[in-house]
Amino acid sequence: MEINMGINIATPVLYTLAGIFGLLAIATMITFGLALSHWDTDYSELKARIKSWWVMVTIFSLAILLKHPVPIVFFMVLSFIALREYLSLIPTRFSDRRVLLWAYLAIVLQYFWIYIGWYGMFLIFIPLYMFLLLPMRMLLNGETEGFLNAIGTLHWGLMLNVYTISHLSYLIMLPLSGNPIAGGTGLLVYLLLLTEINDISQYIFGKLFGRHKIIPKVSPNKTVEGLLGGVLTTTGLAIALAPWLTPFDLIHSACLGLLLSLTGFIGDVNISAVKRDLGIKDSGTILPGHGGILDRIDSLTYTAPLFFHFTVYFYYQGQLL
């Protein structure tokens, strides 16, 4: 099996990152301009959001520009923080504290399979082996009260915060032959950019034109107009960026734009349902203006695995087995 063990950053990726920093610079200047011209309006949350974007984009850019295996370690740490944040929100039994160590160990192993390019184990380790192992370890405690809720919560946490996000890391390992234009890093930047632009455009269109709520009991701010605005923006951007960063043709890029915009919305409201069930607004405070890590990666929990397997199916058939 051929895997990409290098960190050759294609020129289109560098230009795309430079363009993102340029957009952040423009957004920063606009925000400060608004604050000066409308001194009686509080723009502190908007400033905090943009500041957090500067930090996130800078750390991500450094991670993918540095030598292998730094990008893999970066996503492993991201999964660790996300799972830790998740477990801090979800009530767990005191008797399961040692079982949680096995869950954290699963993070290291999942990303180790990526590091060595063991595609088959990467696919089944958490959905199969951890699915079978965790309840076995939990039963040794001899505690049956709340067992179903405890094991379901832990399994779902691993799938949500580790398994789905690990697909971002494996994108970097994909062979250059499948995407001669920009490699796996180009695919990663393409996915992340579309997912985040979809979130932003849905928010903006919802604020400007939102009239009809979609699921008010789960996420009161989500509107039909916001969703449609996100779909149109994301699909258009997917088509425009595809020749620059990916091997996708017009049909595939349009399908991906539609897929990512719709599933990104589902990932977002999925985490919203969790927070509403727990009675909290944000999953954490690590990202000022955004909330926690879960608040920022919610859409990616759906878009990352779906994008990965779409790409592998159409452009890497037989290359990863």
Side-chain angles (χ1 to χ4, degrees):
M1 179 188 65
E2 177 194 1
I3 58 174
N4 179 24
M5 297 296 288
I7 196 66
N8 299 319
I9 304 299
T11 301
V13 175
L14 296 176
Y15 283 147
T16 302
L17 292 176
I20 294 172
F21 278 106
L23 289 174
L24 282 175
I26 293 172
T28 301
M29 289 187 289
I30 292 175
T31 302
F32 277 102
L34 288 171
L36 289 174
S37 59
H38 300 83
W39 55 269
D40 56 337
T41 303
D42 184 13
Y43 289 98
S44 58
E45 183 178 355
L46 181 58
K47 289 180 180 179
R49 280 177 173 266
I50 294 177
K51 184 178 180 180
S52 292
W53 273 118
W54 275 106
V55 173
M56 289 186 287
V57 172
T58 300
I59 293 175
F60 168 75
S61 299
L62 289 174
I64 66 171
L65 291 174
L66 292 176
K67 189 177 181 180
H68 178 83
V70 173
I72 295 177
V73 174
F74 167 75
F75 286 111
M76 182 178 70
V77 172
L78 181 65
S79 284
F80 173 83
I81 296 174
L83 182 62
R84 180 181 170 185
E85 186 176 273
Y86 168 85
L87 291 175
S88 70
L89 299 174
I90 307 296
T92 55
R93 302 183 304 178
F94 180 76
S95 59
D96 293 332
R97 62 192 185 283
R98 292 185 179 178
V99 181
L100 299 183
L101 295 177
W102 288 82
Y104 285 117
L105 178 61
I107 301 175
V108 178
L109 291 174
Q110 176 70 1
Y111 283 91
F112 177 71
W113 311 137
I114 297 172
Y115 173 73
I116 64 176
W118 192 352
Y119 181 64
M121 185 59 79
F122 157 76
L123 287 181
I124 68 172
F125 174 64
I126 290 179
L128 177 59
Y129 289 108
M130 293 308 295
F131 176 81
L132 298 175
L133 177 63
L134 288 178
M136 290 169 54
R137 177 62 185 85
M138 196 173 284
L139 286 172
L140 295 179
N141 298 331
E143 180 64 57
T144 58
E145 184 176 353
F147 173 80
L148 182 60
N149 181 67
I151 195 59
T153 295
L154 192 52
H155 277 150
W156 199 69
L158 277 177
M159 288 295 294
L160 185 75
N161 301 288
V162 183
Y163 186 67
T164 63
I165 299 303
S166 68
H167 286 76
L168 296 172
S169 185
Y170 212 112
L171 280 173
I172 300 177
M173 302 292 289
L174 292 178
L176 185 63
S177 58
N179 184 23
I181 298 172
T185 307
L187 294 170
L188 174 64
V189 171
Y190 182 79
L191 166 63
L192 290 176
L193 185 56
L194 291 182
T195 301
E196 299 309 323
I197 288 296
N198 180 58
D199 285 350
I200 294 170
S201 58
Q202 285 191 20
Y203 174 80
I204 293 175
F205 278 94
K207 283 289 186 181
L208 294 177
F209 308 108
R211 296 292 183 274
H212 304 88
K213 298 185 183 300
I214 301 180
I215 40 176
K217 290 185 177 180
V218 177
S219 186
N221 295 324
K222 299 295 182 184
T223 64
V224 174
E225 294 79 6
L227 176 60
L228 291 177
V231 169
L232 293 175
T233 303
T234 305
T235 303
L237 190 62
I239 294 171
L241 289 178
W244 183 250
L245 293 170
T246 78
F248 305 145
D249 57 26
L250 177 62
I251 299 299
H252 284 161
S253 59
C255 288
L256 273 172
L258 181 62
L259 176 69
L260 296 180
S261 56
L262 292 176
T263 57
F265 170 82
I266 296 171
D268 189 345
V269 296
N270 190 40
I271 300 301
S272 294
V274 173
K275 292 186 291 185
R276 189 160 290 274
D277 183 36
L278 296 172
I280 58 175
K281 180 179 182 295
D282 297 320
S283 63
T285 58
I286 194 173
L287 299 172
H290 296 267
I293 292 295
L294 271 175
D295 296 307
R296 191 63 273 146
I297 67 170
D298 50 10
S299 298
L300 286 167
T301 60
Y302 269 66
T303 62
L306 291 173
F307 175 86
F308 179 89
H309 292 291
F310 181 100
T311 304
V312 167
Y313 179 81
F314 286 106
Y315 293 92
Y316 290 91
Q317 281 280 14
Q319 297 184 47
L320 301 181
L321 300 177

